[in-house]
Amino acid sequence: MNKKHIALAVVLGLSVIAYLFYKDFDTDTFSGLHFSVQMLSGILLAIICFVCQNAGMMWRYRLLTEQCLSWQQVFRVNVLCEFTSAVTPSSVGGSGLIFLYLYKEGMNIGKSTAIMIASLFLDELFLCLSCITVICLVPFDTLFGEAAIVTSGVKWLFFLIVAAVALWTTLLYIALFHRPQWVKSILLTLFSLPLLRRWKNKIQLLTNDLVTGSQEISRHPLRFWIKPFLATASAWYFRYTIVNALLFAFTSGGNQALAFARQWVLWMISIASPTPGGSGLNEYMSRSIIRISFPMSAPPC
């Protein structure tokens, strides 16, 4: 990774945060904040959720590597993946370099590629299943609210991304467990079209990785994948609860369950964000989620 590009990503992210902080700074709001048991408990809970989230990802890497790597090694892999997600486009961009980090830890390139594809599949599977569950359980009007940020255009974008993730998850499943060559042929044919031809070389590399990963992954029985999926689900669950913990620390009232559900909208939209780590869009939509989920909230005193 180019150091200049990393520095640019960091500067862009900090600039957006500084601008939003300056724009919304209110001395009356901050003067009303006082340390309390609720605030300290919420901050401590957020730290615990952050630790549990990363522990879940590390557990997944341990399982997928069949415990060939130590906890210290999977800690390094996880930290590097989180950093990559923060400096590459979209909010879940770190999985593309897992194979490189695993290879640097001593794993062969074939198994590293298989683990990278498996990690991508597990993330997409969880997002797909959890989004469908949220859509089925929460009415649309309640889930999206009336805030300007979630106009009808954003709603359609959300559903389009969910459909795309579902399709991609299905293709990954078929490619990894059943017909890798079949999926490779379809994708290469599709990206031979004039409008998509510019990405054909990247798709060629991706499909080669799919075939290599399938050869390594298909040797595991179905029961092998239960624990990695549970580790993935727990990591994403604790990732979402960090926001709820901070809302508990700095607000009173509001609807914690609704704020938790609306994070699926935030994360799915941020997948399409071209900015490093989904920054900018994430910060703006996060503020909107707080406002529409906690319309009458006030800082705890």
Side-chain angles (χ1 to χ4, degrees):
M1 291 179 284
N2 190 301
K3 292 182 179 180
K4 292 183 179 179
H5 295 165
I6 294 173
L8 178 62
V10 173
V11 170
L12 285 174
L14 292 177
S15 298
V16 171
I17 294 172
Y19 170 75
L20 293 174
F21 184 81
Y22 171 77
K23 182 180 178 182
D24 289 344
F25 183 79
D26 186 350
T27 55
D28 293 335
T29 300
F30 280 88
S31 63
L33 288 175
H34 303 288
F35 282 107
S36 64
V37 174
Q38 178 180 337
M39 181 184 294
L40 293 175
S41 299
I43 294 174
L44 179 60
L45 185 60
I47 294 173
I48 293 173
C49 290
F50 175 76
V51 172
C52 290
Q53 175 225 324
N54 286 278
M57 298 302 290
M58 291 164 58
W59 181 33
R60 182 176 76 175
Y61 295 138
R62 281 273 289 174
L63 292 170
L64 291 178
T65 59
E66 300 178 76
Q67 301 185 7
C68 291
L69 298 184
S70 66
W71 283 104
Q72 183 180 5
Q73 288 176 303
V74 294
F75 172 79
R76 284 198 296 264
V77 171
N78 180 61
V79 169
L80 288 169
C81 287
E82 291 294 323
F83 175 75
T84 306
S85 293
V87 298
T88 54
S90 91
S91 58
V92 287
S95 59
L97 288 177
I98 291 177
F99 80 96
L100 176 60
Y101 303 142
L102 291 172
Y103 178 72
K104 292 292 186 180
E105 293 295 341
M107 303 202 68
N108 64 67
I109 193 65
K111 191 161 187 175
S112 298
T113 301
I115 293 172
M116 177 191 73
I117 299 297
S119 298
L120 176 62
F121 170 70
L122 291 170
D123 284 331
E124 300 297 332
L125 179 62
F126 172 79
L127 288 174
C128 178
L129 295 178
S130 59
C131 272
I132 293 173
T133 302
V134 169
I135 291 172
C136 292
L137 294 179
V138 184
F140 291 168
D141 293 339
T142 303
L143 180 62
F144 291 100
E146 301 297 332
I149 184 61
V150 282
T151 60
S152 59
V154 173
K155 291 181 183 179
W156 280 110
L157 179 60
F158 170 75
F159 289 119
L160 180 63
I161 293 174
V162 172
V165 169
L167 177 60
W168 178 235
T169 304
T170 303
L171 285 175
L172 281 175
Y173 173 76
I174 296 173
L176 291 175
F177 297 99
H178 296 287
R179 297 288 187 274
Q181 293 292 346
W182 180 69
V183 173
K184 179 179 180 178
S185 300
I186 290 178
L187 289 176
L188 290 179
T189 301
L190 179 63
F191 280 85
S192 296
L193 298 175
L195 291 176
L196 303 176
R197 192 173 297 161
R198 58 184 295 187
W199 295 290
K200 185 175 180 179
N201 290 337
K202 293 183 179 180
I203 294 299
Q204 177 76 53
L205 294 174
L206 174 63
T207 52
N208 289 340
D209 289 343
L210 284 175
V211 174
T212 302
S214 175
Q215 295 171 352
E216 180 70 29
I217 288 171
S218 58
R219 66 185 180 86
H220 294 296
L222 179 61
R223 64 177 182 274
F224 171 84
W225 298 101
I226 296 176
K227 286 185 178 180
F229 179 76
L230 291 177
T232 301
S234 65
W236 280 97
Y237 171 81
F238 284 112
R239 185 192 297 269
Y240 290 164
T241 53
I242 292 173
V243 174
N244 288 91
L246 293 175
L247 289 175
F248 173 75
F250 294 103
T251 65
S252 59
N255 191 327
Q256 289 282 356
L258 185 57
F260 183 76
R262 281 173 173 161
Q263 287 188 71
W264 267 267
V265 178
L266 168 66
W267 278 94
M268 296 305 288
I269 295 297
S270 67
I271 288 177
S273 174
T275 57
S279 61
L281 179 62
N282 266 350
E283 283 81 356
Y284 183 70
M285 290 190 68
S286 293
R287 294 185 304 124
S288 299
I289 284 178
I290 293 174
R291 287 174 179 173
I292 60 182
S293 302
F294 289 74
M296 301 300 291
S297 62
C301 300

